[in-house]
Amino acid sequence: MNLLTKYKSVRLASEQMVEPLHIEDYVPQAATFASPPKWNLGHTTWFFEEFILKPHSQDYKVFDESYSFLFNSYYNTVGERVTRANRGSLSRPLVSEVMGYRKHVDKAIQQFLQNSTLTKDIEDIFIVGINHEQQHQELFFTDLKYNFSVNPTFPAYNNKAFCEDEESETMAWLAIEKGIYDIGHQGDGFCYDNELGAHQVLLQDFEISNKLITNGEYLEFLKDGGYNKFEFWHDEALFWLKDKNISHPMYWLQKDGKWFQYTLAGLRLLQDKHILTHLSYYEAAAFAQWKGHRLPTEFEWEAACHKFDWGKRWEWTESAYSPYPNYKKPNGAIGEYNGKFMVNQKVLRGGSVVTPQGHSRKTYRNFFHPHIAYQFNGIRLVK
Amino acid sequence: MNLLTKYKSVRLASEQMVEPLHIEDYVPQAATFASPPKWNLGHTTWFFEEFILKPHSQDYKVFDESYSFLFNSYYNTVGERVTRANRGSLSRPLVSEVMGYRKHVDKAIQQFLQNSTLTKDIEDIFIVGINHEQQHQELFFTDLKYNFSVNPTFPAYNNKAFCEDEESETMAWLAIEKGIYDIGHQGDGFCYDNELGAHQVLLQDFEISNKLITNGEYLEFLKDGGYNKFEFWHDEALFWLKDKNISHPMYWLQKDGKWFQYTLAGLRLLQDKHILTHLSYYEAAAFAQWKGHRLPTEFEWEAACHKFDWGKRWEWTESAYSPYPNYKKPNGAIGEYNGKFMVNQKVLRGGSVVTPQGHSRKTYRNFFHPHIAYQFNGIRLVK
Amino acid sequence: MNLLTKYKSVRLASEQMVEPLHIEDYVPQAATFASPPKWNLGHTTWFFEEFILKPHSQDYKVFDESYSFLFNSYYNTVGERVTRANRGSLSRPLVSEVMGYRKHVDKAIQQFLQNSTLTKDIEDIFIVGINHEQQHQELFFTDLKYNFSVNPTFPAYNNKAFCEDEESETMAWLAIEKGIYDIGHQGDGFCYDNELGAHQVLLQDFEISNKLITNGEYLEFLKDGGYNKFEFWHDEALFWLKDKNISHPMYWLQKDGKWFQYTLAGLRLLQDKHILTHLSYYEAAAFAQWKGHRLPTEFEWEAACHKFDWGKRWEWTESAYSPYPNYKKPNGAIGEYNGKFMVNQKVLRGGSVVTPQGHSRKTYRNFFHPHIAYQFNGIRLVK
Amino acid sequence: MNLLTKYKSVRLASEQMVEPLHIEDYVPQAATFASPPKWNLGHTTWFFEEFILKPHSQDYKVFDESYSFLFNSYYNTVGERVTRANRGSLSRPLVSEVMGYRKHVDKAIQQFLQNSTLTKDIEDIFIVGINHEQQHQELFFTDLKYNFSVNPTFPAYNNKAFCEDEESETMAWLAIEKGIYDIGHQGDGFCYDNELGAHQVLLQDFEISNKLITNGEYLEFLKDGGYNKFEFWHDEALFWLKDKNISHPMYWLQKDGKWFQYTLAGLRLLQDKHILTHLSYYEAAAFAQWKGHRLPTEFEWEAACHKFDWGKRWEWTESAYSPYPNYKKPNGAIGEYNGKFMVNQKVLRGGSVVTPQGHSRKTYRNFFHPHIAYQFNGIRLVK
């Protein structure tokens, strides 16, 4: 697929994604981390304007000078930005203006691609822009789910509940032998800077589960009083449980003795056989300890993942998000993409039901702080 | 004017008020105190549904069960409610649904008024409902102004800047003699419970200014370093100034050495002769001390107000908001209207450019915490 | 009593007061408001050094330059100071050094008084210094009680429980007639600036209780679920109850179904007949509403106080702490004593079991924020 | 050295350590992490009482029942405890009582050791208790330094400034070859559970510095505006810098254009050639990036440490604190020692000028949150 086709296809996907929304749904931001749909649509567009069109397309006419400021995220390199927590306070630009912005940039990109021969550097950043938009497609779903979830009427995005993938596999332990394994991205395809620096690691013998934990398995932990047994929890997890008053996974709700979960299709009865989701690392690690097992490291996961199906949940690993040996932070704004987050976060591997097809790969390193549960993440055990 | 005519006229005013808005503008809440337009429109309607239709109109059919919860404000008597700070997180109900709710209730009220003979009690609460909606019309403007103000593009509500009332009067001191004065509401017209308990107070001699302080007069205070002279400020005002990093009135902005103020018509150059507005009590009191004067008590204001024009700004008084002698909190939800706020707030008297005509009166007691500046409030001095 | 005798007597009282303490007890500050004994002893000394000796005693040699900074409290006029919350973090100066400081200043004051003829201004500030030290004697007890109270071993200051004054009076309502009453300090004796500006107020008929509320009477309120009945509480009181998780008066403790209270003599069984103490204004006002009565205004209290015994509790009034008509803030540091606190506080009248004898008077205006309960305050009702 | 000799020697060291203190110095806790000396002395004693004497010494008589609660730290297994932040609010028990407690326990331990044959389990926990006390000896110095540092008079512990170790070595890079290295504790000597699970890791080629960074080298970073160059900092480090207003290492102070540092010998002029100390991980990592180098991983450090001198500073590594393969959390209270902290912390290797002699070793894994700078930590670079 050539670049323009790829670009168009990803851009179209973003617009199809918002079709079920009403204008009002584009605006709120119920927590700092949950950006409004309007912002996600503008920010992904801003990336192409800021890093491709402004520096490289000579006759490009900026759509609106204020957007450079309004749709910047964490890119210190690029100048001032609206405080992240304030994105939901802005009724303007209107949805129609953001859509106009998208059309304006799409047209300019199309002309640029047709009239220019891209240098390797520009092509690289262009591909980052496409992958960046895919990441925000995933965030669109997780952010929207959160923003809807605070509404006591539990609105539905559509009638398809993304959590409701039945788990049919029978549990089995897959054995991996002690040895030296290749880690990190190799070859020509796209990857992020944090996957580079391919290297070898020495792994000990271990066994990894072929399947993800289900709601039913986690309910056993709840019923055993797991949230009150301090011996299974990290010290700061105990503080987190108490401070946030947490006693069950995010989006779970108990009514009249029955467990429900909020899904993008609205509130649904919790199904034992479905794959568990929306866990923090703290909960994942406590569950693993309670089971007498542990979470895999990211290296174990990468070495073993050819042996099992993955891609329904981002899977928490025991590994802290750190640079690979010989990791080099790229220059300029792209250098802000990954390296600066390499402290106090945990690596997740795999992908989720809302990850765009083809976006993830076996060397992909997702990362979140250990208390984050609003992603479609899950648990795979190792022993 | 009969009740139905009055009702229709006030309801219509609310709807005319939102005409300049886009759908997106109905949603955000940039601070806990600044409710979204959507909520103001729903909440005023909820008042009539909850206190008139539900208890008194036998065949009334509730529009949506969830609205009882969504549009409740502080009425503990009426049951659960959405946390105030979360109003801006709710994209649903849609604006069209809220408008449908208004129509539904309006129709039911019209039928109810036409088919029933109101008892005195019901008529009283009905009139409270009308005045309540007028209060929220004022809040609509002050809340919207705040919500727009956090947007770096400074959107305009319309082309009429509500602050731009020129101040033409020449300063004069009006003398009031020591004596016994009647305070509080007397007669048949509507008033709130907090104005009742008419009584006499003994006032000393004082002189009160015929006019409100202008931007130019306040700028003198700024230029004299007034915000850094601790001797003019209350102790907790100093903490507030430091904590919130305040060095000028709300909505003032300095660019390239010039002062601007954000108005509902957008950002405008500050005009010296215009009436000052958006001051906290702390600032009003510090300015008065700097001038060598003081603010009036609410009793002084009420005794003197027939001698000057008022109604452009809510005027800060020195009086704490306390019950009048023999004040009786009404029973039920109406009892939550005023009495429970009678601590740690200051009384404001008068009215403002966004107060609906005929809503205020000389005995009207508005009240806010001393740090609140988002109302169109102002300063009148006494010596 | 001449000035020097008065001075010596008050200074001696401060030193007798700390006799039961161990060195360790002089250091901690368990909350920002609860200064360590060491600080109270140094600060009252600093007052005489800073306002009498430094400016007026030519040959005075400063004891330690750093004390000017360490023992300043809120006097912005006098320069920098240690953040109030940090007083308990300072192990130095040592107790022996603070005692040395006291001796040094006492000696210098004695010489100064013997060798100088005081101007009226110096005499005035000298008398303020004596009253200031008496205020800190009261604070010594209330602060120490708080600092001890957080210790799970409930240490005792001595064997005399200051709360254990039996209440023997039979309840009676004392009628006061509508009329004009003199308010504020008159005559030659000492008073604070906030009592000046004697003036007349017009009071309506009212009846005031001859006695203070007892533990037993308040327990009735508790047993009736008073802390859960929102209709008796101010709106911000409800927030305070929830935020601080409050369900009974300060220093009360329930063990095995029995109520205890922490006193300066240690933990004691709560006695129904003893006078209630350690209430916030919020609780006092809610209790009064529950009883169907109200708190007096400070003017009512002053007009009626010759008819009842007072002095065991500081009594909450309904009055906000505001300036009297014609109140003038004194110049310089003394001007910081009262005026700057005249917002968001409530007046208390009377005196308490730990107020030094002769320190209070019928025009004395004590004041605290409405949530403060660590003073020995109480409730007297009006109807 | 037999157990009793070892015990006596470590216990004596704790008591020699506090000799320069005044009674007042034992009390304050200027931040949650900086326990008072009194608490450190009691807590280390409590360990022996709680884990040796109470369960294993039949005729042991508890010194004071309340100490079980007062001197517990984070041991959930053992029951309730005083909130950590409140340790400085407790004037009781007195210093003399804590010293009495030490004597009481020492005597009982001596009898116990002389009269019993220790099982392996008891001996193990006994040795943990000795090492635990040594850890608290180190904390005594770092906590005291912090507690003294908030005093504007900068008290000195003694005349020996622990930071003033001159750095004489000439910089050299030490090359380590790619290969498989043994990691973790082996052999019979004591180690903590987190060092067990000896295993092999595969390391790439790297070069490590023979020396620690000096004040002078770090000053170059400051002079180059390093604290304002976002590209060298982690994202959350930028937030930390801004939130805490940090622009230089802890305990540094600039006066009249000169840099000073607070030491345990008081305020001293900063010496360029001395080894830098009191850095957070954030600062260490930013400095390394600015230099174009990086920090070692804990595995690199362990593989290389035989080639350089270490022990003056705890050295920040890039490694997150995670369990080694096959790490098993011990049962009971000892299980709370390490495992529950294995998230969001960074490993430090080495030892410091205040680490008791013989306490550290090459496999020792110290750990702190990345913002912690009050330990004597430092920087060693890798390329």
Side-chain angles (χ1 to χ4, degrees), chain D residues 327-383:
Chain D
Y327 171 70
K328 281 262 176 283
K329 210 152 78 166
N331 289 327
I334 298 302
E336 293 190 49
Y337 214 93
N338 277 304
K340 72 180 179 187
F341 298 114
M342 290 178 174
V343 65
N344 278 355
Q345 310 214 30
K346 287 288 187 185
V347 173
L348 300 100
R349 292 298 194 103
S352 91
V353 284
V354 296
T355 311
Q357 273 225 315
H359 178 68
S360 194
R361 59 200 151 265
K362 74 169 199 160
T363 59
Y364 198 105
R365 306 173 80 199
N366 202 351
F367 51 91
F368 280 99
H369 285 102
H371 65 282
I372 296 299
Y374 76 107
Q375 293 299 309
F376 288 85
N377 37 31
I379 305 178
R380 185 184 304 274
L381 296 178
V382 155
K383 69 174 182 182

Side-chain angles (χ1 to χ4, degrees), chain C residues 161-168 211-219 252 261 263 268-277 279 312-313 379:
Chain C
F162 289 98
C163 301
E164 310 224 334
D165 303 291
E166 202 161 323
E167 171 65 38
S168 53
K211 66 178 271 298
L212 294 164
I213 295 300
T214 62
N215 292 328
E217 291 170 296
Y218 199 82
L219 267 174
W252 284 26
Q261 66 179 330
T263 74
R268 295 276 178 102
L269 201 62
L270 188 76
Q271 301 296 323
D272 278 10
K273 293 196 168 173
H274 290 175
I275 306 176
L276 173 70
T277 193
L279 274 291
K312 289 181 176 168
R313 301 286 181 268
I379 304 178

Side-chain angles (χ1 to χ4, degrees), chain C residues 17-60:
Chain C
M17 194 174 75
V18 296
E19 272 171 12
L21 300 188
H22 292 272
I23 297 286
E24 291 89 336
D25 299 329
Y26 288 80
V27 182
Q29 176 186 32
T32 300
F33 60 78
S35 295
K38 197 157 66 93
W39 191 88
N40 275 321
L41 290 171
H43 169 67
T44 48
T45 307
W46 166 92
F47 190 101
F48 289 106
E49 185 183 59
E50 195 70 34
F51 298 123
I52 304 288
L53 296 173
K54 280 192 188 175
H56 304 300
S57 176
Q58 271 190 324
D59 52 354
Y60 177 68

Side-chain angles (χ1 to χ4, degrees), chain D residues 309-342:
Chain D
D309 280 341
W310 56 264
K312 290 182 174 165
R313 301 284 180 270
W314 286 104
E315 307 178 21
W316 284 111
T317 75
E318 186 53 43
S319 299
Y321 182 43
S322 291
Y324 283 172
N326 306 316
Y327 171 70
K328 281 262 176 283
K329 210 152 78 166
N331 289 327
I334 298 302
E336 293 190 49
Y337 214 93
N338 277 304
K340 72 180 179 187
F341 298 114
M342 290 178 174

Side-chain angles (χ1 to χ4, degrees), chain C residues 4 17 27-28 30 43 45 52 70 73 77 79 88 94 122 200 250 262 266 321 348 351 365:
Chain C
L4 182 56
M17 194 174 75
V27 182
H43 169 67
T45 307
I52 304 288
L70 290 170
S73 58
T77 322
L94 302 172
I122 301 181
Q200 294 183 315
M250 196 173 185
Y262 174 64
Y321 182 43
L348 300 100
R365 306 173 79 199

Side-chain angles (χ1 to χ4, degrees), chain C residues 20-31 38 64 66 69-70 82 86 88-96 147-148 150-153 155-156, chain D residues 20-31 38 64 66 69-70 82 86 88-96 147-148 150-153 155-156:
Chain C
L21 300 188
H22 292 272
I23 297 286
E24 291 89 336
D25 299 329
Y26 288 80
V27 182
Q29 176 186 32
K38 197 157 66 93
D64 186 313
S66 71
F69 174 86
L70 290 170
V82 168
N86 267 357
S89 298
L90 308 185
S91 62
R92 317 289 178 90
L94 302 172
V95 172
S96 58
N147 289 328
F148 272 179
V150 304
N151 195 317
T153 63
Chain D
L21 300 188
H22 291 272
I23 297 287
E24 291 89 336
D25 299 330
Y26 287 81
V27 182
Q29 177 187 31
K38 196 156 66 93
D64 185 313
S66 71
F69 174 86
L70 290 170
V82 169
N86 267 357
S89 299
L90 308 185
S91 61
R92 316 291 179 89
L94 302 172
V95 172
S96 57
N147 289 328
F148 271 179
V150 304
N151 194 318
T153 63

